[in-house]
Amino acid sequence: KAFLNHSAYLSCYFPNSQKIDVKDLIVFWQKGSQKVLHEVYYGQEKHENLSPEYINRTKVDKDKWILQLLNAGVEDEGHYECIIQHKKKGPPEVIHKSECSLHITANYSQPKIEQLHSGELKPNGHLNLSCSSTGGYPEPQEMTWLILRENTTHRHTPHMDVSQDVVTKLYNVTSKLNIPVPTNSLTNISCLLHLREQLGSLVSVPLGI
């Protein structure tokens, strides 16, 4: 996993137990079967085969064989492979392969509750609220409303509207709640955004009615 616009680290997991000299190795990382990110050709950095989007975006630690991918973006998500070839007699032969998947995360803003009506609340009227959070990745799971009245909590999970920015690929989410105006007792309303992949959840500042 890597945070958006931060570095991602892709390990080759190559123990080199035989202590082979780097000058006898061809090491390269690729995405899918087409795009080459970085190549170390018999000890030298080689740039001819690199895909344009990775030029000047990679650094390699030749002791640990870990590739640093700078400024990771949503489009860098995917499956990567590291391949090591050893030149003996004849053509180089593959002596090591490892694979990894990269997932990008971007932090959502704290969910914010807004009232969608103006004027005073009437006892028999309805409370019309929206809760929104912006600029996150990946797409979240759901939004839940918590209505705390005296010692009871009611949960509502209405439909969540999701939009994705065409350029940044980040998500904005909104959920709407329509309930009768609470009477008699103080009511606290909060909104929870549940994120995916064990990323936890974000909670709004409660609204007191």
Side-chain angles (χ1 to χ4, degrees), residues 144-156 188:
T144 303
W145 293 83
L146 300 179
I147 302 167
L148 181 64
R149 188 179 296 133
E150 292 169 342
N151 289 326
T152 59
T153 303
H154 295 280
R155 287 174 174 266
H156 294 268
N188 272 320

Side-chain angles (χ1 to χ4, degrees), residues 155-172:
R155 287 174 174 266
H156 294 268
T157 309
H159 171 74
M160 176 176 69
D161 288 316
V162 180
S163 64
Q164 188 177 26
D165 188 287
V166 178
V167 177
T168 65
K169 306 295 183 201
L170 301 181
Y171 290 99
N172 300 323

